[in-house]
Amino acid sequence: MIFTFQDVLVLIIVHLLLGFFFKFHYLKPNYSILERGLVLSLWFIHLGFAYFFVKYIQQNGGDSIGLWDLTADTSQYARSWMGYFGVNTFFIQWLNYIPSKLIGLSYVSGTMIYAFLSFWGMIGLLESVNYLIDKFEQKLRFPQLLYLPLFLPGLHFWTAGVSKETLLFLGVSAMFYAFSTQKQIFSIGILGWCFCLLVRPILGVLFLPILVVFVANRLKKRWELLSLVIVICGGLLYFSISQFLPYLHLENYSWEDLSDFSNRQLSFLTEFSANTTLSMETWSWYRKLAAVALMPFPWESWDFYSLIFSLENFWLLSIGVLGLAMGNRHLVQIPKTMIYFFMIGIVMFIVFTFTLNNLGLFYRMKSIWLPFLHITFLWLICYSDHPSKRFQ
């Protein structure tokens, strides 16, 4: 991989911005050495995965380069910046138009920009964990375990480059931070929801109820402003759904149309004849769901990367079983935001069972949801009704 002068300049600017943020935010007395070390470790790990992401895409191909070059989907025949605007792939190409086409930054620079964006998602998740630890400190044994989901290899890899997962993770983490801490719901929370809605409209639909609830609680009797926010969000939702239906070649959301779409999607993926494709057509739904969540197992790995993938799956299974065994009496004590994000993660896993049949795609698509599942299970492991008996 060769770095151009522009790439080096982008790298310098990114580190200057992060350096200023670290100096004026994390060097405050209320942050411990552990928290400062976590932030620095996360960034250098993430930067390393950005390098591996570029190497992987250049060697194996993928839609990432097309997203940056604005060639992943040209069906709009766009001739101007606003001509690219839409949902899903169109929205990402619209975002990339200025840095890629107008400024002329390379794909390597684009990867660093996206790694920078997804790192803010890491920061949002870290700050959310810090808030939860501080709020429930007397009820948590070994609260540092809650930091572990920040270091998942799959999360870092699939969000370290030009991808939909990068923007989705940024949006989901922004909402998790806003809803958990009850801070900046009208800025960070709604902006995160907009990212999710425009990149993957189904997420905008799933998150809309919790968004309305939190906004309504903050506005309370300010009905005029609440009505304006609902109208704006409703307009965005209508636009995204109206754009998404033609994108999926659907007339409406009837069961027959959705079933036909699922069959077409699975057939389309099967045509690629990938080594990790599974013949899931005759499988039951729960077997498909188990495949999405847990396959491959460690003994089914075929190379180093699949071994890492399988170990992540085994870790999820382990903490899931341990968390439910140790914390089944504490289910009602789980923070409501954590429950909501856990449930949406499970819903997305179910969606994947009808749209994916490839182990590699399972890993990629679920990577942004695993931290929220892990945090929930680790919460159950750490939570205790007897603070006087906490381990130090």
Side-chain angles (χ1 to χ4, degrees):
M1 181 172 59
I2 301 175
F3 287 90
T4 65
F5 172 77
Q6 284 183 329
D7 299 333
V8 175
L9 184 61
V10 169
L11 189 62
I12 292 173
I13 292 173
V14 164
H15 279 87
L16 285 175
L17 292 173
L18 289 175
F20 281 121
F21 172 73
F22 185 86
K23 177 180 179 180
F24 292 107
H25 186 75
Y26 283 106
L27 291 184
K28 293 179 180 178
N30 54 314
Y31 285 98
S32 66
I33 295 177
L34 171 63
E35 290 166 333
R36 296 167 187 165
L38 281 173
V39 174
L40 292 176
S41 299
L42 280 172
W43 170 243
F44 288 113
I45 290 172
H46 201 56
L47 189 63
F49 272 96
Y51 173 81
F52 287 118
F53 185 90
V54 172
K55 296 288 288 184
Y56 178 85
I57 294 297
Q58 289 178 340
Q59 293 175 4
N60 300 282
D63 60 358
S64 179
I65 295 177
L67 290 172
W68 185 252
D69 294 339
L70 315 183
T71 58
D73 191 335
T74 59
S75 60
Q76 283 184 310
Y77 302 102
R79 297 182 179 179
S80 63
W81 181 35
M82 291 309 299
Y84 283 95
F85 191 75
V87 300
N88 206 281
T89 301
F90 299 138
F91 176 68
I92 298 180
Q93 292 184 157
W94 176 78
L95 283 179
N96 294 342
Y97 181 89
I98 292 178
S100 175
K101 193 164 187 176
L102 291 188
I103 301 178
L105 296 180
S106 70
Y107 175 70
V108 173
S109 292
T111 300
M112 286 186 283
I113 292 172
Y114 269 71
F116 175 70
L117 291 175
S118 57
F119 183 67
W120 287 107
M122 303 282 178
I123 292 295
L125 196 55
L126 174 64
E127 290 292 335
S128 303
V129 170
N130 284 341
Y131 174 82
L132 292 170
I133 289 176
D134 290 340
K135 184 176 180 180
F136 297 93
E137 182 180 9
Q138 297 303 315
K139 289 287 188 178
L140 296 175
R141 301 167 297 189
F142 302 117
Q144 292 78 12
L145 290 176
L146 295 176
Y147 292 119
L148 289 178
L150 290 164
F151 294 93
L152 290 170
L155 173 66
H156 281 277
F157 180 80
W158 291 114
T159 64
V162 183
S163 69
K164 297 173 185 176
E165 283 66 38
T166 294
L167 298 181
L168 288 173
F169 177 64
L170 178 61
V172 171
S173 294
M175 284 189 289
F176 190 75
Y177 169 79
F179 300 153
S180 296
T181 63
Q182 293 287 291
K183 298 177 181 178
Q184 298 175 302
I185 289 176
F186 293 104
S187 54
I188 293 178
I190 291 181
L191 181 62
W193 179 76
C194 289
F195 267 110
C196 290
L197 177 69
L198 292 171
V199 177
R200 193 153 289 158
I202 187 175
L203 285 183
V205 175
L206 293 174
F207 276 115
L208 186 60
I210 188 175
L211 180 70
V212 171
V213 168
F214 277 103
V215 168
N217 287 339
R218 292 299 298 271
L219 290 177
K220 295 182 179 177
K221 295 183 179 181
R222 301 173 64 181
W223 304 111
E224 298 85 358
L225 186 55
L226 175 60
S227 300
L228 178 61
V229 171
I230 291 177
V231 168
I232 293 174
C233 290
L236 280 170
L237 187 64
Y238 175 79
F239 167 79
S240 298
I241 292 177
S242 64
Q243 292 286 308
F244 198 54
L245 283 172
Y247 182 86
L248 298 180
H249 305 288
L250 293 175
E251 296 294 334
N252 52 60
Y253 283 128
S254 68
W255 177 254
E256 291 78 11
D257 287 336
L258 291 173
S259 179
D260 289 340
F261 167 74
S262 174
N263 293 332
R264 291 197 307 270
Q265 173 72 7
L266 295 178
S267 298
F268 172 74
L269 294 175
T270 301
E271 290 175 0
F272 285 95
S273 301
N275 294 331
T276 57
T277 298
L278 300 175
S279 301
M280 300 171 59
E281 293 80 2
T282 60
W283 291 13
S284 60
W285 70 268
Y286 52 84
R287 186 182 176 190
K288 291 180 180 179
L289 183 60
V292 170
L294 301 174
M295 289 183 67
F297 294 103
W299 54 87
E300 296 174 325
S301 58
W302 55 93
D303 57 20
F304 176 75
Y305 297 104
S306 63
L307 177 61
I308 298 298
F309 180 14
S310 66
L311 290 176
E312 278 196 41
N313 291 332
F314 185 73
W315 172 247
L316 174 65
L317 177 62
S318 300
I319 63 174
V321 172
L322 188 60
L324 292 175
M326 293 179 61
N328 61 85
R329 295 182 295 107
H330 306 138
L331 293 176
V332 295
Q333 276 82 34
I334 301 176
K336 291 183 175 59
T337 302
M338 198 181 293
I339 293 175
Y340 200 94
F341 276 69
F342 182 91
M343 291 174 61
I344 290 183
I346 297 300
V347 170
M348 291 307 300
F349 276 31
I350 294 173
V351 171
F352 298 155
T353 66
F354 294 99
T355 56
L356 305 176
N357 62 356
N358 183 298
L359 292 176
L361 289 176
F362 292 166
Y363 194 20
R364 173 180 173 179
M365 296 293 190
K366 73 182 186 181
S367 61
I368 65 170
W369 298 108
L370 288 178
F372 303 100
L373 271 62
H374 283 210
I375 286 175
T376 306
F377 289 136
L378 290 171
W379 175 273
L380 291 173
I381 293 173
C382 295
Y383 194 86
S384 173
D385 285 329
H386 308 287
S388 61
K389 297 182 180 179
R390 289 174 63 223
F391 295 101
Q392 301 296 328

